[in-house]
Amino acid sequence: MTPRPRPPTVLVLRALGLGDLLAGVPALRAVRRGFPGHRVVLALPPGLTGVALSTGAVDEVFPAEAPGRAVPSLAHWPGPPPDVAVDLHGNGPESRDALAALRPRRLLAHALPDGPPWQPHVHERERWCAFLRAHGIPADPLDLRLPAPSTPSPAPGAVVVHPGAASGSRRWPEERFAAVVRCLRAAGHRVVLTGGPGEDALVRSVAERGGRPASDVFSGGLSLDRLSALVAGASLVLSGDTGIAHLAVAHGTPSVTLFGPVSPRLWGPPPGHRHLALWKPGPPGDPHGRNPDARLLRLHTGEVAAACLIQLRGRGPGAGAPGAAGRAVATRVH
């Protein structure tokens, strides 16, 4: 029997973190639709393989990662050059050059003479959809939902509080998170805490201050599939501007996200009542800084707790009516 010819390949580079992957889902699905009959391969860190495949936009994952947000080497790409290479990693030229070195038949990138101009003040989802539309590929920035996980939630119906973030500038103080945890518990809600790799001490501290037992703490050992199930089955997710906030959006789970130093206009949830983005307007800060951003520190525990109770109203015990606290929060959501 004559072997079936191998379909042409589209290689997409977006070797970043969880939030970046989820913000790129609408663009990935547009690539999938724009190149029917092609094998779509996504270059990204191997730890995100499960989430990437669950989007339905990716056939295979090509392991590629580098420290921070650097461009990884693609020199270990196997086989012939890709038919199409798509740079969704950044504005180049480093990411463009990494793909160009593979000699694809066609390369789509911002950093090309015929590439669309980079738009620094546009929301991340819209930026990459606009990039593809400029190449004649229709893309919808709201096409971002993930299917329900097959894994059961380890804490169905709980409020998930995630105090960590990749950089110190996006971490709201732990004592404030703990105060909100105590408030939510007093209103009758079960609260569990999560953390990423290296955040065990932070999560334990918030749990102890908030009066939560060890059984309600999910630290950096929680796999992505279990984290996804936890978020999908939660009544609410409270976090800073980090990957779990994007996971809540992807599963349609109500959320309250604390922004600073980057505006939610660039990385926030889509419009709608399910997601509240709390933000104090001001000049943008360093998203990779070591210390909590000044705009983030202007968010106080009372308004964050009230925002959470507004989102939980009708979803669990003790939420009650918003009252004056609800009105106060509404003036602070931008």
Side-chain angles (χ1 to χ4, degrees), residues 80-168:
D83 187 69
V84 182
V86 183
D87 181 5
L88 297 184
H89 191 92
N91 62 345
E94 294 86 355
S95 50
R96 173 206 64 194
D97 292 346
L99 288 168
L102 302 180
R103 301 186 180 278
R105 184 175 304 172
R106 182 183 179 193
L107 174 59
L108 307 184
H110 275 290
L112 288 172
D114 62 345
W118 177 260
Q119 302 180 60
H121 304 299
V122 172
H123 195 286
E124 183 75 2
R125 290 188 298 270
E126 174 56 37
R127 173 190 293 125
W128 293 111
C129 287
F131 165 74
L132 293 173
R133 289 195 296 265
H135 288 285
I137 302 171
D140 178 6
L142 296 181
D143 185 12
L144 44 74
R145 292 289 293 271
L146 292 180
S150 57
T151 304
S153 169
V159 176
V160 176
V161 175
H162 186 93
S167 61

Side-chain angles (χ1 to χ4, degrees), residues 10-131:
V10 178
L11 175 62
V12 183
L13 174 60
R14 192 165 176 82
L16 298 162
L18 174 62
D20 304 278
L21 168 60
L22 295 174
V25 165
L28 289 171
R29 287 180 173 154
V31 170
R32 168 80 283 167
R33 293 189 297 268
F35 294 95
H38 286 61
R39 180 175 62 112
V40 178
V41 180
L42 177 60
L44 88 168
L48 298 176
T49 296
V51 178
L53 296 177
S54 75
T55 66
V58 177
D59 296 308
E60 296 178 30
V61 164
F62 174 54
E65 58 185 326
R69 300 177 70 81
V71 177
S73 170
L74 304 179
H76 55 299
W77 172 256
D83 187 69
V84 182
V86 183
D87 181 5
L88 297 184
H89 191 92
N91 62 345
E94 294 86 355
S95 50
R96 173 206 64 194
D97 292 346
L99 288 168
L102 302 180
R103 301 186 180 278
R105 184 175 304 172
R106 182 183 179 193
L107 174 59
L108 307 184
H110 275 290
L112 288 172
D114 62 345
W118 177 260
Q119 302 180 60
H121 304 299
V122 172
H123 195 286
E124 183 75 2
R125 290 188 298 270
E126 174 56 37
R127 173 190 293 125
W128 293 111
C129 287
F131 165 74

Side-chain angles (χ1 to χ4, degrees), residues 3 27 49 71 73 94 101 150 155-156 172 175 244 257 265 283 286 295 324:
T49 296
V71 177
S73 170
E94 294 86 355
S150 57
W172 202 47
E175 64 273 12
I244 198 171
T257 307
R265 291 186 179 91
D286 179 5
R295 280 153 295 277

Side-chain angles (χ1 to χ4, degrees), residues 236-265:
L236 177 74
V237 172
L238 168 64
S239 73
D241 174 21
T242 191
I244 198 171
H246 294 272
L247 201 54
V249 170
H251 285 306
T253 301
S255 65
V256 173
T257 307
L258 314 182
F259 277 85
V262 177
S263 168
R265 291 186 179 91

